[in-house]
Amino acid sequence: MIRYALAALLALIHQSAAAQTEIEQVVTPAGITFWLSQETSIPIVSVKILFRGGTALDPDDRPGAATMMTGLLNEGAGDMDALAYAAASEEVAARIGFDVGRDTLSVSATMLREVRAEVVDLVRIALHEPRFDDDAVERVRGQMMSIIRSNQSDPGELASHTLFAHAFPDHPYSRPTDGTPESIAAMSVEDLRRIHRAAIVRDRAFIAIVGDVTSDEASEMVDRVMVGLPTSDTALPQNAADQLRGGVHTIDLPGGQSRALFGHAGIERDDPDFMAAYVMNHILGGGGFTSRLTEEVREKRGLTYGISTFLTSLDHGPLYLGSVASANETIAEALELVRSEWARMAREGVSEEELEQAKRFLTGAYPLRFDTNAKIADILAGVQEAELGIDYTHERNAMIEAITVEDIARVAERLLQPEHLTFIVVGQPQGLDTVSDPAQQDALLR
Amino acid sequence: MTLTSRLTGLIGLLLSLIPSTSWSQVETHRLDNGLEIVVIPDHRAPVVTNMVWYRIGSADEPPGKSGIAHYLEHLMFKGTDEIPEGQFSQIVSANGGQDNAFTSYDYTGYYQRIAADRLPLVMRMEADRMTDLIISEAVWVPERDVILEERRSRVASNPSAIMAEQRDAALYLNHPYGTPIIGWEHEMSTLTRQDALDFYARYYAPNNAILIVAGDVTLQEVVTLAEEYFGDLPPSDAIPERIRPQEPVAVAPRRLVYADPRVQQPYVIRSYLAPERNAGAQQDAAALTILAELLGGGPTSVLYRALVVDAGIAVSAGAFYNGTSLDPTSFGLYAVPADGVDLEQAEAALDAAMADFMQTGPDAAHLDRIKVQVRASEIFARDSQVGLARAYGAALTSGLTVEDVDAWPAVLDTVTAEDIMRVAQQVLDLRQSVTAQLRGTPEPEAAQ
């Protein structure tokens, strides 16, 4: 009985509401543009700043520079050493974080409304006047070395490092974002100051503020943080031609399970067919418990705890990637299923019913992402960095609704290249026709 | 993610910010069949989080059946007499919702996040699978393979996780907290469909469950829906009291070494048996929570300062404690040595820093800063309806009441330096501890 009732409920579903967050574009007195979403029910404010650049700005001989510099931003600034800075943050219960990826350096700060001026000053001095004191540099150097050591036996890190090395030879993306033992050992304060100058620049910043502040109050915060930052003097990297053309590369790591990272070239974020690719990915491997790959590899055969695929919108070389882990004895079967589902999607596309289900999920779940101030700030800064426009959060669901099975068939045929699927397998897989990777094997030796 | 949090992640610890989540606007109700209801209103967006928590976890499993609570949690998605096999998550998804579940020592929880107007659907589906689960012959073996793969991913691939299991097994001489939630592999591989059905029949009933709904709803709306969908489910009179084997008086400090060739960053970690939060008596747990912050809560903490900043002997050091637990929990200390420092030196430095702290006690300004953060965390917590729902669910399945959760921030706020030193003296007793070393080679490494 409930079966009929459920069917009826499905039929009754209305076009889901777009995300309701109201966004305002504000220009500060100093001329800096940011996005604001006011939310006055809780007396807190979240700030997100993305600086375009990230570890892709690392000099060729200093991989890890941006990561190490970012790790030092809250290790002493202005007239405060590391401990004084940390104590000052604790005194106002500031939640300040700095992080860096291949394309962006990010600043996240969540604070009580009443102490926003104090917190903003702490963010300001970290960005403008990091000290790079000798003792802090040595401390963070030791921490970086520890992370690099640990990465050397982490299946996910090994796979990712190897895949990027294969995908982007001679491009900054090929370099390990945490650096190498040699580059971190050699990193000087001068190197850190140089990457700081290159990465934290006013003209590559994308700023969002969400919470209990007025437009004037938020403008004051933005100007306080941003005014005085230099403009960029270092070119962003060239676009990379991805080099993934097939093959299975293994990295020996003892243990009972193999972890695989796989993929090939992806699709640009501003490609007209990006949304079609996004919906296709949801059906193939992006949709958690409901994707084709989860059904085939996990539900039907019990070969894995999790398999997923994702479009990585790197600014200078998008990839279409996936990951799966399975016992050494069964990883070959799991990867064969990946190949066959890849080929089936390229050949057949999706059914009307699959597309309808995917649309219901993607449009219904979109508003669920907007569930804390900090997450909304992340989304608004990300939308700016991707240059999607201020109406994007309101229009995005309509874009999903407009996708047809023909759109998906077209993009699947173009995007999915089963013969280019490149697999990096970390573990002791059985029954795989592989090329072993001597360079990476060496990295594992202590 | 900061470098410090990445380092902490490497050793398998999630150091939370001060756990102080409560909200006075929470409302409660109880149905005649015993189902408890908690509603956490949040009208900022038209979405809800619908959760059903069962007062049943891995520490309630019968001997020899480790992992059955978690295995059943997986099988709960397979279908019912009314939901076709494999369709549970498909239906939630096709309604624009996300769903998942989790198992711990003391609880098993299921949830959906979805548009507020879909609440009737998901609540009906939860009520349906509370009593009408179907596990077909076709699904139980592949799903057992899935949990075995999950164990390989979470534990076997991660030397830190392997050592954490060994540490807990050594810490708990008698209590089932010494058995991993996911189960021991040799027992998981023998679990059957019938084991899952037996466990389900014994423990899944409205009077062993809590319905928590957070989001754009009112208590009245939730109660009306719950009456409609859960109201007719019969309570069980066979649910046993949760009395687990308790720990004997501990008399011998335990030490263990786990050597794994994959380990590139050794570390030393010690856990002590420690009291948990109890209904109406949370003071000791509050003092231990503040003690963990003083010792290990970030860059100004006692251990980080002594070992990482001042001596440069470690790349990370800290303390951890989670008081939300039905039975006695643990308090931990750790140090991750810098390159060229061996584990014995790191442990000696940890011991010296602790001895110094036990002499001098907390710095007053430091304690004040932690109190500021306690008060702020209460306000920050209101930003996350999922976080609030989880805090109430974990507490209510661990022997606490809504009143205890609501009182927790005030209890934390009243902790004094004397309270902290009293619980530190009581808990930090080597006889009730395990000191564990994770290293790459069995023998102590010579300093380089």
Side-chain angles (χ1 to χ4, degrees):
Chain A
M1 289 159 309
I2 200 172
R3 201 179 300 212
Y4 296 109
L6 291 171
L9 270 169
L10 287 177
L12 280 174
I13 199 169
H14 52 80
Q15 299 288 75
S16 65
Q20 296 193 331
T21 305
E22 290 302 324
I23 311 160
E24 185 186 349
Q25 177 163 306
V26 183
V27 180
T28 69
I32 296 164
T33 301
F34 70 100
W35 290 5
L36 169 68
S37 180
Q38 292 190 48
E39 167 53 64
T40 56
S41 61
I42 307 172
I44 60 176
V45 188
S46 289
V47 177
K48 182 81 176 190
I49 308 171
L50 291 177
F51 293 98
R52 186 180 279 165
T55 63
L57 293 172
D58 284 348
D60 285 335
D61 61 346
R62 288 291 183 272
T67 304
M68 187 165 172
M69 178 274 289
T70 306
L72 278 155
L73 290 176
N74 58 0
E75 291 277 343
D79 59 2
M80 291 185 265
D81 67 9
L83 283 175
Y85 186 89
S89 299
E90 291 168 7
E91 274 161 16
V92 289
R95 298 186 170 186
I96 303 173
F98 302 98
D99 199 5
V100 68
R102 286 190 165 80
D103 287 329
T104 54
L105 187 154
S106 73
V107 181
S108 313
T110 291
M111 65 206 80
L112 300 178
R113 173 187 154 75
E114 62 185 11
V115 290
R116 64 186 186 284
E118 289 85 341
V119 178
V120 160
D121 275 349
L122 288 167
V123 173
R124 175 187 168 81
I125 61 169
L127 294 179
H128 289 248
E129 306 170 57
R131 288 160 58 119
F132 303 116
D133 288 336
D134 287 345
D135 59 339
V137 168
E138 292 317 309
R139 185 162 63 242
V140 169
R141 194 192 309 279
Q143 295 175 334
M144 295 281 296
M145 290 291 200
S146 173
I147 288 169
I148 291 169
R149 280 197 296 276
S150 300
N151 288 349
Q152 287 176 354
S153 62
D154 182 294
E157 291 287 343
L158 278 171
S160 164
H161 180 150
T162 310
L163 184 123
F164 275 86
H166 280 282
F168 301 108
D170 305 321
H171 188 276
Y173 282 163
S174 69
R175 299 187 300 238
T177 55
D178 291 328
T180 64
E182 297 73 32
S183 70
I184 298 303
M187 200 76 66
S188 67
V189 169
E190 208 36 56
D191 293 327
L192 295 166
R193 292 204 181 280
R194 215 171 285 138
I195 191 74
H196 174 257
R197 168 69 184 83
I200 298 176
V201 291
R202 174 174 163 166
D203 54 319
R204 289 183 185 150
F206 303 89
I207 307 164
I209 296 194
V210 177
D212 188 10
V213 278
T214 65
S215 165
D216 286 348
E217 289 165 347
S219 287
E220 246 177 78
M221 294 167 70
V222 169
D223 279 348
R224 185 78 188 139
V225 172
M226 299 301 296
V227 169
L229 284 182
T231 53
S232 56
D233 67 347
T234 306
L236 295 172
Q238 300 291 309
N239 286 349
D242 122 88
Q243 301 291 318
L244 297 177
R245 290 293 179 273
V248 180
H249 304 264
T250 60
I251 299 166
D252 184 80
L253 190 70
Q257 191 182 54
S258 293
R259 172 160 292 282
L261 184 64
F262 54 86
H264 56 46
I267 183 167
E268 301 278 355
R269 186 65 187 80
D270 58 3
D271 189 293
D273 266 338
F274 179 87
M275 274 297 178
Y278 181 78
V279 177
M280 181 212 74
N281 171 58
H282 176 81
I283 296 167
L284 178 56
F289 292 121
T290 62
S291 74
R292 286 182 181 181
L293 283 169
T294 296
E295 178 64 23
E296 293 300 320
V297 182
R298 172 173 159 152
E299 296 299 310
K300 281 191 189 162
R301 296 177 180 82
L303 298 177
T304 189
Y305 173 56
I307 181 164
S308 63
T309 58
F310 38 96
L311 292 161
T312 67
S313 304
L314 291 165
D315 286 350
H316 312 289
L319 293 174
Y320 187 25
L321 300 179
S323 80
V324 64
S326 188
N328 288 329
E329 299 76 31
T330 52
I331 186 77
E333 185 183 354
L335 299 188
E336 207 39 56
L337 287 163
V338 169
R339 283 187 210 276
S340 65
E341 286 303 316
W342 219 261
R344 178 162 82 95
M345 179 67 86
R347 201 170 56 237
E348 299 172 5
V350 301
S351 70
E352 289 284 0
E353 192 191 346
E354 282 177 305
L355 175 59
E356 199 47 44
Q357 286 228 6
K359 285 181 181 179
R360 286 193 192 121
F361 173 77
L362 292 169
T363 56
Y366 189 57
L368 301 178
R369 295 189 200 170
F370 293 70
D371 72 335
T372 66
N373 286 357
K375 279 200 225 167
I376 297 170
D378 288 353
I379 293 168
L380 299 191
V383 167
Q384 291 176 78
E385 203 273 331
E387 299 178 1
L388 299 174
I390 196 162
D391 296 326
Y392 176 79
T393 59
H394 295 277
E395 292 171 353
R396 180 264 194 196
N397 274 358
M399 297 180 206
I400 300 267
E401 295 287 357
I403 302 296
T404 64
V405 293
E406 290 77 25
D407 294 332
I408 293 194
R410 181 180 64 248
V411 79
E413 190 187 352
R414 175 182 141 208
L415 176 62
L416 299 174
Q417 305 295 336
E419 69 284 5
H420 288 174
L421 263 182
T422 304
F423 296 86
I424 312 295
V425 185
V426 181
Q428 297 178 325
Q430 295 174 14
L432 276 180
D433 193 9
T434 67
V435 187
S436 72
D437 226 302
Q440 291 306 316
Q441 304 272 17
D442 291 346
L444 271 181
L445 302 174
R446 284 133 91 38
Chain B
M1 200 171 0
T2 63
L3 286 181
T4 311
S5 65
R6 287 180 64 191
L7 283 163
T8 315
L10 291 176
I11 68 169
L13 296 172
L14 277 177
L15 297 191
S16 57
L17 296 159
I18 298 165
S20 161
T21 45
S22 80
W23 198 16
S24 53
Q25 291 184 30
V26 168
E27 297 179 288
T28 60
H29 185 78
R30 184 191 292 266
L31 298 189
D32 290 342
N33 63 10
L35 181 76
E36 272 190 61
I37 298 172
V38 177
V39 175
I40 304 169
D42 173 7
H43 301 293
R44 290 178 296 170
V47 299
V48 290
T49 301
N50 179 59
M51 292 182 147
V52 174
W53 292 67
Y54 292 91
R55 290 191 184 84
I56 181 70
S58 66
D60 302 300
E61 293 167 340
K65 303 287 182 192
S66 65
I68 191 66
H70 172 250
Y71 181 35
L72 173 61
E73 177 234 290
H74 277 230
L75 294 168
M76 285 284 284
F77 289 85
K78 293 304 181 187
T80 68
D81 57 336
E82 291 163 344
I83 297 170
E85 191 165 289
Q87 289 301 298
F88 193 97
S89 293
Q90 299 278 355
I91 293 169
V92 175
S93 168
N95 280 275
Q98 301 167 333
D99 69 333
N100 214 328
F102 43 85
T103 306
S104 188
Y105 297 107
D106 298 322
Y107 53 77
T108 310
Y110 302 83
Y111 70 91
Q112 301 82 35
R113 300 189 59 230
I114 202 159
D117 64 355
R118 307 279 106 172
L119 180 60
L121 171 73
V122 291
M123 201 183 286
R124 188 161 73 189
M125 290 169 72
E126 282 296 357
D128 186 37
R129 70 173 167 180
M130 184 177 280
T131 53
D132 289 343
L133 179 67
I134 290 178
I135 304 171
S136 75
E137 287 294 339
V139 300
W140 72 272
V141 174
E143 199 60 39
R144 193 177 63 187
D145 289 338
V146 168
I147 57 168
L148 286 164
E149 285 293 348
E150 182 175 356
R151 187 180 159 83
R152 287 187 197 105
S153 290
R154 287 188 192 277
V155 185
S157 303
N158 182 349
S160 277
I162 294 171
M163 189 179 71
E165 282 188 344
Q166 299 292 313
R167 204 174 76 232
D168 286 343
L171 182 66
Y172 290 99
L173 299 170
N174 198 41
H175 191 282
Y177 287 166
T179 301
I181 296 165
I182 199 166
W184 296 115
E185 185 176 5
H186 68 288
E187 293 184 351
M188 294 167 71
S189 62
T190 66
L191 295 175
T192 64
R193 171 177 176 274
Q194 194 56 49
D195 291 331
L197 289 171
D198 290 348
F199 198 76
Y200 177 68
R202 190 167 166 86
Y203 292 112
Y204 279 56
N207 51 326
N208 205 30
I210 304 157
L211 171 69
I212 300 182
V213 183
D216 192 15
V217 285
T218 64
L219 178 69
Q220 196 46 56
E221 287 164 358
V222 172
V223 169
T224 303
L225 290 171
E227 286 284 5
E228 182 177 352
Y229 301 125
F230 291 95
D232 291 339
L233 302 180
S236 166
D237 55 12
I239 293 165
E241 216 182 319
R242 301 179 87 183
I243 300 173
R244 288 97 169 241
Q246 296 297 310
E247 285 300 297
V249 173
V251 295
R254 278 136 277 166
R255 296 189 69 83
L256 62 90
V257 174
Y258 177 59
D260 186 314
R262 293 172 293 184
V263 172
Q264 307 283 334
Q265 174 61 70
Y267 62 87
V268 58
I269 186 164
R270 180 184 297 148
S271 22
Y272 300 85
L273 279 179
E276 76 285 10
R277 292 166 69 186
N278 285 311
Q282 305 188 88
Q283 292 84 349
D284 287 1
L288 287 166
T289 302
I290 304 284
L291 174 65
E293 282 297 316
L294 282 165
L295 295 176
T300 71
S301 66
V302 168
L303 294 176
Y304 189 90
R305 240 184 119 147
L307 274 68
V308 181
V309 179
D310 291 345
I313 207 168
V315 294
S316 179
F320 54 93
Y321 171 75
N322 176 3
T324 307
S325 176
L326 186 61
D327 289 321
T329 180
S330 65
F331 188 98
L333 309 171
Y334 66 91
V336 183
D339 201 19
V341 175
D342 67 30
L343 287 170
E344 287 65 31
Q345 290 169 281
E347 186 179 336
L350 186 68
D351 287 338
M354 286 305 301
D356 191 41
F357 175 78
M358 296 306 288
Q359 284 291 318
T360 56
D363 173 73
H366 189 186
L367 187 54
D368 285 346
R369 293 199 304 273
I370 289 171
K371 295 292 185 70
V372 168
Q373 294 178 80
V374 167
R375 287 169 216 132
S377 68
E378 230 190 313
I379 300 169
F380 288 132
R382 288 166 48 195
D383 196 24
S384 171
Q385 60 173 252
V386 177
L388 280 170
R390 287 196 77 138
Y392 278 92
L396 297 185
T397 50
S398 301
L400 299 169
T401 64
V402 168
E403 292 70 35
D404 294 317
V405 182
D406 292 341
W408 180 240
V411 178
L412 286 170
D413 206 18
T414 55
V415 167
T416 63
E418 292 69 37
D419 296 333
I420 292 163
M421 297 318 287
R422 178 176 51 78
V423 295
Q425 292 287 358
Q426 175 198 327
V427 168
L428 303 178
D429 176 342
L430 278 180
R431 289 173 300 180
Q432 55 178 355
S433 77
V434 178
T435 305
Q437 295 185 346
L438 181 71
R439 53 166 88 241
T441 54
E443 298 305 317
E445 293 154 8
Q448 291 167 18

